[in-house]
């Protein structure tokens, strides 16, 4: 029986692991299908304290992993499909391959996944001119037009990164002003390769004879006018969906699926804690996720102490 299982290996999960390992609980981390979480798909992180010159997202996550393992955290690469609380009061954490791991406490730090528009042929176009990760796929689209959909920090960051490769980066946003923070918005709008397309949404993906993206159909939300825009890749950056559905009734969620914390990082189920983007729809920053991971580990430690486990 594990004392602490941490589900997820983003900022929240690794920080929880560092604290829990230093409390001598030798926590078991279950990686999920994207080890390192969202920061592994980003470039330079400029706002994580302690790195005045910025740090690359993947490097930051590798550092966190090394730090957690140094103090005795263990990592297994598996995707959790459900969690159950037994009559005896402990947890069964069940992986996709059917493996059951038992634990006295569980910290859920599963983050959030990119949201899509929900257009009919969207899923089949992933990897054929549709993606949510500029860092992963941007270099495939050199000297051709591409677009980013969205108006937040992610959209601005992706658009800026893509200007290294693409001939033009259309920034398609459904309103006439960006949601992004001022520094990111100003930087994007000052970039001559980024062309904003305001008050518009993509209503159709258009493909060539090989089934690859060749254009999008834009709808102007003010005039209703529809126009075709030629491009080779669509980068969707319209926010995220929290990854908490596998917990079923063990947690309450808000209408968007974010886990509701009761006190600090506690949830409605004793011994089950939630930290980071799976529970935070307000701040959603690397540093706030790390802070919640720390809090969850400290609260799990107190919970274990109440059970007489030290
Ligand atoms: P976000 O702030 O929620 O922005 C999502 C954007 O997508 C919004 O502009 C929204 O439009 C648009 N959108 C949502 N649903 C849409 C739909 N169905 N069709 C068309 N457009 C749609 O998400 P985010 O940019 O991923 O940022 C998430 C969090 O991470 C934020 O807190 C952000 O500050 C943080 N972040 C920080 C950095 C950084 O500091 N370096 C980088 C990336 C992200 P509306 O504006 O009209 O709602």
């Amino acid at each position: 029986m594990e004392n602490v299982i941490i589900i997820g290996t983003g900022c929240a999960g690794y920080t929880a692991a560092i604290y829990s390992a230093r409390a001598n609980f030798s926590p078991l981390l279950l990686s999920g299908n994207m080890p390192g979480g969202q920061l592994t798909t980003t470039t330079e992180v400029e706002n994580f304290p302690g790195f005045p010159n910025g740090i690359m997202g993947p490097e930051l996550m590798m550092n966190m992993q090394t730090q957690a393992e140094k103090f005795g955290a263990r990592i297994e690469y598996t995707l959790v499909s459900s969690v159950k609380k037994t009559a005896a009061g402990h947890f069964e954490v069940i992986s996709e391959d059917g493996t059951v791991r038992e634990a006295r406490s569980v910290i859920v730090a599963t983050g959030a996944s990119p949201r899509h528009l929900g257009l009919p042929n969207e899923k089949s176009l992933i990897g054929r001119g549709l993606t949510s990760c500029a860092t992963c796929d941007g270099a495939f689209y050199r000297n051709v037009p591409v677009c980013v959909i969205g108006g937040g920090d992610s959209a601005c960051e992706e658009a800026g990164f893509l200007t290294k490769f693409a001939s033009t980066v259309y920034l398609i946003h459904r309103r006439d002003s960006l949601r992004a923070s001022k520094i990111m918005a100003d930087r994007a709008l000052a970039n001559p390769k980024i062309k904003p397309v305001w008050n518009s949404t993509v209503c159709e993906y258009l493909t060539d004879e090989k089934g690859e993206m060749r254009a999008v159909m834009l709808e102007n939300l003010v005039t209703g006018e529809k126009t075709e825009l030629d491009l080779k890749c669509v980068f969707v950056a319209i926010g995220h969906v929290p990854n908490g559905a596998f917990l079923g009734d063990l947690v309450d969620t808000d209408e968007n699926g974010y886990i509701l914390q009761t006190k600090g990082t506690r949830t409605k189920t004793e011994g089950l804690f939630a930290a980071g983007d799976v529970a935070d729809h307000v701040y959603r920053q690397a540093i706030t996720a790390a802070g919640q991971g720390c809090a969850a580990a400290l609260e799990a430690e107190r919970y274990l102490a109440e059970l007489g486990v030290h």
Side-chain angles (χ1 to χ4, degrees):
M1 166 93 64
E2 303 286 343
N3 283 318
V4 185
I5 284 183
I6 299 165
I7 310 175
T9 48
C11 287
Y14 279 139
T15 308
I18 291 166
Y19 275 77
S20 191
R22 284 173 58 81
N24 264 348
F25 288 123
S26 179
L28 177 64
L29 279 151
L30 303 179
S31 68
N33 55 9
M34 196 176 159
Q38 287 181 54
L39 281 194
T40 57
T41 67
T42 194
T43 50
E44 196 161 9
V45 181
E46 293 178 325
N47 53 8
F48 201 89
F51 300 95
N53 300 317
I55 180 166
M56 298 305 279
E59 188 187 352
L60 179 61
M61 300 320 297
M62 285 302 295
N63 288 350
M64 287 192 197
Q65 178 177 346
T66 305
Q67 199 172 349
E69 287 178 320
K70 177 177 147 188
F71 294 113
R74 295 160 294 132
I75 302 178
E76 286 180 27
Y77 294 88
T78 183
L79 184 67
V80 173
S81 54
S82 64
V83 177
K84 293 193 177 109
K85 190 156 189 187
T86 67
H90 61 260
F91 294 93
E92 287 180 352
V93 179
I94 301 145
S95 288
E96 251 186 357
D97 63 5
T99 308
V100 181
R101 297 170 179 84
E102 292 186 316
R104 295 187 175 88
S105 68
V106 171
I107 296 173
V108 179
T110 42
S113 297
R115 174 181 285 134
H116 286 106
L117 286 177
L119 295 176
N121 55 346
E122 200 156 39
K123 282 215 170 91
S124 67
L125 279 168
I126 293 173
R128 316 187 81 183
L130 186 93
T131 171
S132 294
C133 180
T135 333
C136 318
D137 300 319
F140 297 126
Y141 298 95
R142 288 173 194 268
N143 305 315
V144 292
V146 301
C147 80
V148 176
I149 306 175
D153 281 334
S154 299
C156 290
E157 189 172 70
E158 305 259 288
F161 179 74
L162 290 167
T163 58
K164 288 200 223 176
F165 312 104
S167 55
T168 302
V169 180
Y170 297 102
L171 183 58
I172 300 170
H173 186 33
R174 62 185 178 182
R175 294 187 291 124
D176 64 358
S177 65
L178 296 174
R179 171 183 295 277
S181 56
K182 190 165 173 2
I183 187 169
M184 307 275 278
D186 288 351
R187 200 182 287 170
L189 296 178
N191 190 320
K193 272 189 158 185
I194 297 178
K195 298 211 181 324
V197 182
W198 302 116
N199 296 315
S200 297
T201 188
V202 169
C203 57
E204 204 180 331
Y205 298 122
L206 304 169
T207 54
D208 62 16
E209 64 287 352
K210 290 188 214 137
E212 307 268 341
M213 189 78 72
R214 69 164 179 83
V216 292
M217 187 62 80
L218 289 174
E219 181 177 356
N220 184 304
L221 296 172
V222 177
T223 62
E225 191 191 348
K226 289 192 177 175
T227 46
E228 213 172 293
L229 179 66
D230 288 346
L231 43 74
K232 292 290 180 198
C233 191
V234 174
F235 293 81
V236 186
I238 59 169
H240 291 82
V241 181
N243 298 319
F246 68 98
L247 294 166
D249 291 342
L250 289 181
V251 293
D252 287 333
T253 63
D254 71 9
E255 68 277 12
N256 295 316
Y258 288 91
I259 295 175
L260 295 177
Q261 296 156 317
T262 51
K263 188 175 162 222
T265 59
R266 289 176 187 242
T267 66
K268 76 169 192 185
T269 300
E270 283 233 321
L272 184 71
F273 305 86
D277 284 15
V278 72
D280 171 24
H281 65 94
V282 180
Y283 303 109
R284 297 176 293 175
Q285 304 298 302
I287 189 64
T288 50
Q292 285 210 351
C294 161
L298 295 177
E299 287 180 27
E301 189 179 340
R302 278 175 207 155
Y303 172 75
L304 289 169
E306 284 163 22
L307 298 182
V309 182
H310 296 278

